[in-house]
Amino acid sequence: MKTLATIYKEFLLLIRDPGGLALIFIMPLALVIVMALVQDAPFRDYQEVKLDVLFIDQDGDSLSTKVKQAFDASPHVNLIVKSDTAEAKELVRAGSYKAAIVIPAHASAALREKTRQLIEKVFSNFGLISPPADSDAIASVGIKVLFDPAIKSNYKQALTGGVQKIVASIQAQWILDELQNQLAEGRTDTKHIAVNLTDIIQVKEQYASENKYQGIMLNSVQHNVPAWTMFAMFFILYPLAGNFIKEREEGSMLRLRLISGSQFPVISGKFAFYFLVCLLQFVLMIAVGIFIMPMLGLTQLVLGSNVIGILLTACSVAMAATGYGVLIAVYFRTPQQALSFGSVSVVILSAIGGVWVPVYVMPEILQTLSRFSPMSWGLESFNDLFLRQASIQTILPNVLRLTGFSLATLFISVIIHKSRTIL
């Protein structure tokens, strides 16, 4: 009964506070729209960063060696050699790596044979030699580049273009070598020969996820809506801490302490109410991504198909945000202390958690720190669900981290509140 009364009291306090309502509802909606519009262009053109890219060499010959040597010399790509294609694909699909280059088995031998066939076909067209028996057997050699759907489009294009440039150079060199071999055999009347550099090597790009949403990739909307939704949810500490400390200063807490029984229902009631407010924030922000963004000329937010996973993630983020707000409210003694520390800490957690820019474009030290930010856990789960179409099993570790963070902050809040009650 005390818990329900606390929920009702918090509801009355909130609806009577226009500033608080604007802060937790109107401002986040404006923020997500503005940030999506502002960052739309930068999302298409980030500065170059060094990406870890898996390299699967099933060829073990000169073609794969030359491709590896070219990328080893690149300042923007760090090749990590793997032997198992299935393992590499799973790592990329899970977002552990942003891309993988797969050189198929016998690619070098096939390329040499295709090059020989191509040159012989050119010479036969000029009547220099008899048409080869296998002249119609020319086919392309396929090199696969697998991508994580959460990779930025300019990185995707740059990596694919790099592979194409490298293999085109190798292809041209091998064609010239084969021409020299043919000329060395006495076929010297070649002044009118024009070798057609057809795509005997094709670079095929595809996403590592295999589902109907695999064409969805990271853009300003897919990043900003879930990212700034979490940012707004963590700012629930403003009305929560403000009301809590106000009650303490006005003597409401003292009157509650005089009532026999545990103080847990009071904290749990506040937690439950603001947890529901966070979920309402989430629904509104998602609605903006789906309905408002297309009206502004941006892409529509795509949620994927794992509704249960989305609800689990939203609830765990709401719990973490509310638990953090309760801890700030209980620990600090004045509104100035609580709101100053709370606002700065939320901005820091959001910055290292990937809200401002994706984690993989950050310096290495920030990428390490991001592992300890609850916003990073939530954003990674949303990316898994929205972009990679992950299962509940995939997001479960981050959901458990968020839930554990919430329970830990709530437990510490009860201990601090109880100790001050005793004092």
Side-chain angles (χ1 to χ4, degrees):
M1 196 65 181
K2 190 185 295 185
T3 299
L4 293 177
T6 301
I7 292 175
Y8 179 67
K9 177 182 64 65
E10 293 296 330
F11 172 74
L12 293 178
L13 287 173
L14 183 61
I15 62 174
R16 293 170 183 173
D17 181 11
L21 287 172
L23 182 65
I24 63 176
F25 290 118
I26 306 301
M27 292 301 292
L29 297 180
L31 185 62
V32 70
I33 293 173
V34 171
M35 291 305 299
L37 290 170
V38 169
Q39 291 190 2
D40 187 52
F43 255 84
R44 292 193 293 264
D45 187 26
Y46 263 126
Q47 63 179 354
E48 294 294 333
V49 297
K50 191 161 188 175
L51 294 179
D52 290 334
V53 177
L54 299 179
F55 184 76
I56 300 89
D57 180 11
Q58 299 176 334
D59 178 41
D61 206 336
S62 53
L63 175 61
S64 58
T65 299
K66 290 181 180 294
V67 172
K68 185 176 185 302
Q69 288 174 347
F71 275 109
D72 283 341
S74 171
H76 304 305
V77 174
N78 178 35
L79 284 187
I80 300 175
V81 179
K82 292 284 184 181
S83 58
D84 188 347
T85 304
E87 177 192 5
K89 186 174 183 178
E90 179 60 27
L91 288 171
V92 175
R93 189 200 64 77
S96 301
Y97 295 90
K98 295 303 174 186
I101 301 172
V102 182
I103 309 295
H106 312 298
S108 296
L111 179 58
R112 293 190 189 96
E113 179 61 21
K114 305 309 177 186
T115 303
R116 182 189 64 79
Q117 292 175 12
L118 176 62
I119 297 302
E120 289 186 353
K121 184 175 182 179
V122 171
F123 276 97
S124 67
N125 289 339
F126 284 87
L128 300 176
I129 63 173
S130 301
D134 55 356
S135 60
D136 295 328
I138 299 177
S140 63
V141 176
I143 295 178
K144 291 183 180 180
V145 185
L146 305 176
F147 290 104
D148 173 15
I151 192 172
K152 281 186 76 271
S153 59
N154 64 329
Y155 297 143
K156 176 173 170 285
Q157 294 167 1
L159 185 58
T160 302
V163 176
Q164 290 173 336
K165 183 178 179 180
I166 292 169
V167 298
S169 175
I170 297 170
Q171 172 183 326
Q173 183 60 50
W174 285 11
I175 288 176
L176 291 176
D177 291 343
E178 183 62 26
L179 271 174
Q180 290 177 350
N181 292 335
Q182 296 287 349
L183 293 174
E185 296 177 8
R187 296 157 182 162
T188 58
D189 187 15
T190 60
K191 61 181 179 179
H192 298 298
I193 293 179
V195 178
N196 180 23
L197 297 179
T198 56
D199 290 330
I200 58 177
I201 308 180
Q202 289 187 351
V203 179
K204 303 175 181 178
E205 59 180 60
Q206 65 182 72
Y207 290 108
S209 58
E210 295 179 349
N211 52 68
K212 63 180 179 179
Y213 297 102
Q214 63 178 340
I216 300 301
M217 60 184 181
L218 189 68
N219 54 46
S220 66
V221 173
Q222 292 293 143
H223 171 79
N224 277 296
V225 172
W228 291 102
T229 297
M230 290 191 304
F231 185 83
M233 291 165 75
F234 268 82
F235 260 94
I236 201 72
L237 66 87
Y238 261 80
L240 197 162
N243 290 337
F244 193 94
I245 295 174
K246 183 179 180 181
E247 290 175 356
R248 191 163 57 204
E249 291 178 342
E250 292 179 346
S252 298
M253 281 295 172
L254 179 60
R255 289 192 292 271
L256 287 173
R257 290 177 184 178
L258 298 177
I259 301 175
S260 60
S262 173
Q263 296 300 311
F264 179 76
V266 175
I267 293 182
S268 63
K270 292 180 180 292
F271 182 92
F273 173 75
Y274 286 102
F275 168 78
L276 295 176
V277 172
C278 285
L279 290 183
L280 180 57
Q281 284 181 300
F282 177 79
V283 172
L284 290 175
M285 302 287 267
I286 294 300
V288 167
I290 295 175
F291 301 109
I292 304 298
M293 295 301 183
M295 297 171 59
L296 299 174
L298 301 176
T299 58
Q300 185 180 50
L301 178 68
V302 177
L303 301 180
S305 56
N306 193 343
V307 177
I308 296 178
I310 294 173
L311 290 176
L312 281 175
T313 303
C315 288
S316 62
V317 172
M319 289 177 63
T322 308
Y324 186 67
V326 171
L327 179 60
I328 295 296
V330 171
Y331 181 77
F332 290 98
R333 296 182 179 274
T334 67
Q336 292 79 9
Q337 292 175 340
L339 301 183
S340 297
F341 179 87
S343 59
V344 173
S345 63
V346 168
V347 170
I348 292 174
L349 289 174
S350 66
I352 66 175
V355 170
W356 301 89
V357 294
V359 171
Y360 67 86
V361 304
M362 295 180 183
E364 186 174 350
I365 185 171
L366 291 182
Q367 292 186 30
T368 301
L369 291 176
S370 70
R371 301 171 187 169
F372 302 97
S373 171
M375 292 197 194
S376 176
W377 307 335
L379 186 56
E380 185 64 23
S381 294
F382 282 126
N383 282 339
D384 284 337
L385 294 166
F386 294 173
L387 300 173
R388 305 182 183 112
Q389 305 306 303
S391 63
I392 293 178
Q393 183 178 2
T394 300
I395 65 169
L396 190 58
N398 282 329
V399 169
L400 292 177
R401 290 187 186 100
L402 288 164
T403 304
F405 176 84
S406 172
L407 295 177
T409 54
L410 188 59
F411 176 76
I412 295 172
S413 299
V414 172
I415 296 299
I416 295 174
H417 190 63
K418 184 178 180 180
S419 66
R420 289 180 178 173
T421 302
I422 295 174
L423 293 175

